[in-house]
Amino acid sequence: MKYGTNHKRGILLPLLIVFVLLFTSCNNTSYKGSNNVVEPTEVKEAMNNSDVIIIDARSEEDYAKGHLEGAICLNPSSLTISEPIKGMLAPKEQVEKVLSEKGISNDSTLYIYDNSGGVYSGRLWWVLKVYGHDNVKVINNGQRGLEKAELPMSLEVPELAPTEYVAKEANSDMIATMDYVKTVAENEDSKEKIIDVRSKAEYEEGAIPNAILYPHTKNLYTDGTFKSARDTFLFYKDLGLDKDDTIILYCKSSFRATQTALLLDEAGFKNVKVYDGAWLEWSAGDMPTEKEEKTVPDSGDAS
């Protein structure tokens, strides 16, 4: 029996539909209901919730040009110090003062966004987590995602009543000191892994010995959204990382590193530390450096 073209199409089309459904069900990129990331659609649902405060982590200049309706401006630089190393974590008292002035309470649920691939949002997320604020998430795809979801933008600046925020003592398990990193860097057989999330060009100018290059931009799909927890796990597994490994992240000033920390935590890597002094501190001291690039697999930048 001979089959015509239409008959073949009738067979192929259902098979194609089944394949697409199977593929998409196994590669869910949505973070809805996750611990650390919130989708723009969830933000829309929460905008009228009085317990939710939405934070715009961009610069004051960008905020003034337009922001999500009801969002307050809080750039992470206000939670850093300038001496002895610029950009390092601010002390507890400074964090309490800033958050209190912004009207943030210990019970607030915080959603944070930026326009830099989660770099500034991730830094705020990390600082808040270090000081014990659990109800904090980063908005997937930031400003672009909010605009795509057609959420209302505004020029109005909301005024929240000041609070008396009380931070917990800093969680040292989330922070790597220079001495700790030096010990790991000098031991080629160390089970701890150092990940350099800077660009390849920065890495080639000098890096912490035994650090593996994996730029933070590889944590994003081409549309700017975060790679799924599943994809994140698989790509870092290809680097030789296991979920139980102690992982030390750094960049120039450990802003980009906190974006990676956020996504690694979501992917199930729980022993993640950020070297807060980062390359600024390391390169300023009498610390060993290397310029030999470690081989890393292609992360697959498909959208």
Side-chain angles (χ1 to χ4, degrees):
M1 181 181 294
K2 294 183 179 180
Y3 296 97
T5 302
N6 290 337
H7 184 81
K8 291 179 180 179
R9 288 176 179 173
I11 295 174
L12 290 175
L13 184 58
L15 289 175
L16 179 60
I17 293 173
V18 170
F19 174 78
V20 170
L21 290 174
L22 286 173
F23 180 80
T24 54
S25 65
C26 295
N27 293 275
N28 181 19
T29 59
S30 172
Y31 276 94
K32 191 170 184 178
S34 76
N35 294 323
N36 301 313
V37 182
V38 60
E39 295 291 339
T41 52
E42 295 177 280
V43 176
K44 185 176 183 179
E45 297 168 1
M47 286 182 67
N48 294 322
N49 187 335
S50 60
D51 294 329
V52 174
I53 296 178
I54 301 172
I55 298 175
D56 186 323
R58 300 175 302 159
S59 67
E60 292 183 0
E61 291 77 12
D62 285 340
Y63 178 83
K65 294 175 183 177
H67 50 266
L68 183 67
E69 186 177 272
I72 63 172
C73 181
L74 177 55
N75 188 276
S77 61
S78 64
L79 302 179
T80 65
I81 57 176
S82 56
E83 297 291 342
I85 301 296
K86 183 179 179 181
M88 288 186 68
L89 181 69
K92 175 184 174 183
E93 295 75 20
Q94 180 176 332
V95 172
E96 289 176 328
K97 182 176 184 296
V98 171
L99 297 184
S100 296
E101 290 174 349
K102 290 292 182 178
I104 296 171
S105 71
N106 291 84
D107 296 328
S108 298
T109 296
L110 306 177
Y111 293 162
I112 313 170
Y113 73 92
D114 61 32
N115 58 355
S116 304
V119 169
Y120 296 103
S121 299
R123 179 68 188 195
L124 270 183
W125 171 88
W126 182 75
V127 171
L128 289 161
K129 287 286 188 178
V130 165
Y131 283 112
H133 197 106
D134 291 327
N135 297 326
V136 53
K137 295 183 179 183
V138 171
I139 299 174
N140 196 4
N141 210 13
Q143 175 83 358
R144 183 189 300 179
L146 295 171
E147 292 175 349
K148 186 176 181 180
E150 299 182 346
L151 271 67
M153 298 294 157
S154 174
L155 295 175
E156 295 184 9
V157 179
E159 295 184 5
L160 303 184
T163 63
E164 292 188 10
Y165 192 93
V166 179
K168 295 181 180 179
E169 295 300 323
N171 182 357
S172 59
D173 290 339
M174 297 178 67
I175 306 169
T177 64
M178 184 167 65
D179 288 340
Y180 179 80
V181 176
K182 185 174 183 290
T183 300
V184 175
E186 290 176 341
N187 182 6
E188 293 187 0
D189 297 323
S190 176
K191 293 183 179 180
E192 289 95 340
K193 306 294 195 309
I194 303 175
I195 307 297
D196 187 328
V197 310
R198 298 175 300 162
S199 68
K200 184 176 180 181
E202 290 174 290
Y203 183 92
E204 289 176 345
E205 290 181 357
I208 296 175
N210 296 316
I212 301 170
L213 173 65
Y214 197 81
H216 80 287
T217 51
K218 292 183 178 291
N219 297 322
L220 305 172
Y221 293 117
T222 54
D223 66 353
T225 58
F226 294 138
K227 284 185 176 175
S228 69
R230 175 183 176 274
D231 283 351
T232 299
F233 167 71
L234 291 175
F235 289 131
Y236 282 88
K237 183 180 179 182
D238 286 343
L239 291 181
L241 304 183
D242 293 323
K243 288 187 175 182
D244 294 332
D245 287 342
T246 297
I247 302 169
I248 303 168
L249 305 170
Y250 83 96
C251 55
K252 181 179 179 180
S253 60
S254 282
F255 272 50
R256 289 171 283 178
T258 54
Q259 178 246 45
T260 301
L262 162 82
L263 297 173
L264 285 179
D265 184 89
E266 190 63 43
F269 296 90
K270 298 303 181 183
N271 299 320
V272 179
K273 300 176 182 288
V274 171
Y275 173 29
D276 192 34
W279 184 247
L280 287 178
E281 182 181 45
W282 189 270
S283 60
D286 187 21
M287 293 290 115
T289 62
E290 69 178 15
K291 296 186 178 181
E292 179 183 355
E293 182 179 350
K294 298 289 188 298
T295 301
V296 297
D298 185 359
S299 67
D301 293 324
S303 58

